[in-house]
Amino acid sequence: MAVATVLLPLVAGCGGDHDDAKAGAKGAQATAGQQGGSKNADRRSGDFPDRGVIVTASCSVPASNPASVTVTGWDPTTWKRTVSRTFTVPAEAVVAEADDVGSPLVELCADNFPGVSASEDGPRAVAATQLRQLFDKDFSRMAVVLIDRETEATGVGYVDTSGKLTKLSGEQSDDFGDTPKEENAVFAQNGSAVWFTETDSSDHVRIASRSVAGDHAVTERVGGDGDYMDGANLALAGDPARGLFGKEVRISPDGRKATAFITWRGFNVADVPQRGALLKVGGVKATSMPYEADCYPYGWVDDRTVLCGPRSGEAEDPKRKNSFWTLDTSRLDGTADLPKGALGDPIIPATDRKNTVRAISRDGKQLIFASLQGSRLEFFISAIAPGATPKKIAAGDADRALSVGHVLEWR
């Protein structure tokens, strides 16, 4: 299958500067640059450090210029920007919910369109796995879902920081058949392939991948009925990678477990199978989180422990009001009862502030959370340990880093 490429002009977005961060989710305004580079190229170049960096992604969708996505690395001790890269979003890429096509890019760019107000729900929580997997390991390429506006056929590809788009899907066949519907494009972290889902007219879902090396062969991973999977996304787990299609999927550090919301069952902990799977009732082995745990899973502290917040916004236990705690998933036995010792004590004091986890350190020892008190937004850092004392982050650049977009990773 031949590879079609399109060269696009590079638009260097000011979203990397976050000069308009206080404007909320509207992001920064993109400014036109020159094809093949710009005067900001040196600032945007360089490698993301392997450790000691918080990586954020923000989206800008100006009215008259191409949309852009800026990925920025921040030093969590000084809150100075260390590296920043901007991706110009191709005109044929799906960025809006109105296209009715699944893509993590839609979630990343939500609330960033001209005339659209920012969410009133407060700061976004730490990104789910599929948002991180929009990019390869070193954030040099970004996966995209492409749409033919006339036929509404969709395919997948990727764009690099030079503005070059590589299409991995072939042209639509002239045969009488279903319209191609490839969605939910994510990158294998080693950069070898773009993974995606494909849905037919009977809601049969297939998880597949295409190599970026040139052969572009489709490898079928799993098929299944996609009923009750509205709002689901694709996330990759393990090595070799397996695709998990589900809602609010967060993969454990060792790639062996995942948390996900399953319709009719609530939040669950699933064992990652040897092949890809749909995270739904009957789709994969999963254990429901006991109601008593009251756990909205923000992410994994280690290979077996999940960091929780109140499931419905108001904790059942007054001592846990707007706090966080851990849940040892290895103790869950599949019953409705909460096993003894599975639930950790509150990490931060109970408060009337609205608190949201923004980042979890790779070693699972620290978290950063946003705290909303009326209309005042502040950021705190805390040890992930019962009875910890949160410390306010005073550096002004932290507000710029944490107020806009999503936190993808804390290396």
Side-chain angles (χ1 to χ4, degrees):
M1 185 178 299
V3 181
T5 60
V6 179
L7 295 180
L8 299 176
L10 178 63
V11 178
C14 295
D17 295 330
H18 296 285
D19 292 332
D20 297 328
K22 293 184 180 179
K26 292 182 180 179
Q29 296 298 313
T31 57
Q34 298 177 350
Q35 185 170 347
S38 75
K39 62 184 179 181
N40 293 326
D42 290 340
R43 175 177 57 77
R44 293 186 291 104
S45 63
D47 296 332
F48 279 80
D50 289 333
R51 60 178 55 195
V53 64
I54 289 179
V55 183
T56 64
S58 60
C59 180
S60 174
V61 190
S64 58
N65 292 318
S68 62
V69 171
T70 300
V71 182
T72 307
W74 304 85
D75 183 329
T77 58
T78 65
W79 289 102
K80 299 300 182 184
R81 187 176 54 244
T82 59
V83 61
S84 184
R85 294 175 180 170
T86 298
F87 298 85
T88 300
V89 179
E92 59 263 56
V94 173
V95 294
E97 291 182 357
D99 291 319
D100 197 28
V101 176
S103 171
L105 194 57
V106 172
E107 181 178 350
L108 182 64
C109 292
D111 302 329
N112 283 274
F113 293 85
V116 177
S117 299
S119 171
E120 297 179 355
D121 295 332
R124 297 181 178 97
V126 58
T129 298
Q130 74 271 4
L131 280 179
R132 170 61 186 89
Q133 292 178 346
L134 261 174
F135 310 90
D136 58 9
K137 185 176 181 179
D138 60 0
F139 300 99
S140 63
R141 293 171 291 181
M142 180 177 73
V144 291
V145 176
L146 306 169
I147 186 169
D148 182 318
R149 304 291 175 182
E150 181 179 10
T151 65
E152 298 184 354
T154 54
V156 300
Y158 64 90
V159 62
D160 63 25
T161 54
S162 75
K164 178 183 177 182
L165 168 66
T166 301
K167 296 181 179 180
L168 299 179
S169 301
E171 299 297 327
Q172 184 174 354
S173 172
D174 291 332
D175 296 337
F176 187 78
D178 289 342
T179 303
K181 192 174 182 182
E182 298 175 358
E183 306 177 77
N184 300 299
V186 292
F187 242 115
Q189 292 301 280
N190 62 9
S192 64
V194 169
W195 288 62
F196 58 96
T197 63
E198 190 172 29
T199 308
D200 64 20
S201 56
S202 300
D203 282 336
H204 187 270
V205 178
R206 183 173 65 147
I207 298 174
S209 63
R210 285 199 179 97
S211 168
V212 303
D215 51 14
H216 307 135
V218 177
T219 304
E220 184 170 345
R221 303 296 180 182
V222 67
D225 187 349
D227 284 345
Y228 306 113
M229 299 300 288
D230 289 346
N233 283 281
L234 180 64
L236 306 180
D239 184 15
R242 280 94 77 196
L244 297 178
F245 187 53
K247 303 176 184 179
E248 299 195 50
V249 180
R250 300 178 189 273
I251 307 295
S252 65
D254 62 2
R256 295 182 178 179
K257 291 184 177 293
T259 58
F261 182 85
I262 297 179
T263 302
W264 308 123
R265 291 186 53 174
F267 283 104
N268 284 247
V269 179
D271 293 327
V272 173
Q274 293 301 308
R275 298 189 61 189
L278 276 60
L279 296 177
K280 54 174 290 184
V281 173
V284 69
K285 179 183 176 182
T287 302
S288 296
M289 294 183 180
Y291 183 82
E292 189 180 349
D294 191 21
C295 179
Y296 172 83
Y298 280 108
W300 293 82
V301 173
D302 54 36
D303 294 336
R304 69 181 191 181
T305 310
V306 171
L307 179 65
C308 302
R311 180 168 41 204
S312 59
E314 286 291 335
E316 298 289 332
D317 182 352
K319 294 184 298 182
R320 299 180 185 273
K321 184 178 180 180
N322 293 319
S323 186
F324 312 114
W325 53 91
T326 58
L327 175 66
D328 184 347
T329 65
S330 68
R331 295 176 180 265
L332 302 183
D333 55 13
T335 68
D337 298 326
L338 180 67
K340 183 178 181 180
L343 200 66
D345 290 331
I347 292 173
I348 63 174
T351 175
D352 63 359
R353 291 169 172 258
K354 186 173 183 179
N355 302 314
T356 307
V357 175
R358 289 291 274 146
I360 303 172
S361 63
R362 177 185 286 177
D363 63 9
K365 294 182 179 180
Q366 293 180 296
L367 65 90
I368 291 172
F369 66 93
S371 185
L372 195 61
Q373 188 177 38
S375 61
R376 182 172 66 179
L377 179 64
E378 299 175 311
F379 296 95
F380 292 81
I381 189 168
S382 171
I384 300 179
T389 301
K391 181 179 179 182
K392 183 178 176 180
I393 300 174
D397 285 348
D399 289 340
R400 296 197 294 166
L402 296 169
S403 295
V404 176
H406 292 264
V407 177
L408 301 182
E409 189 175 6
W410 183 357
R411 295 182 176 181

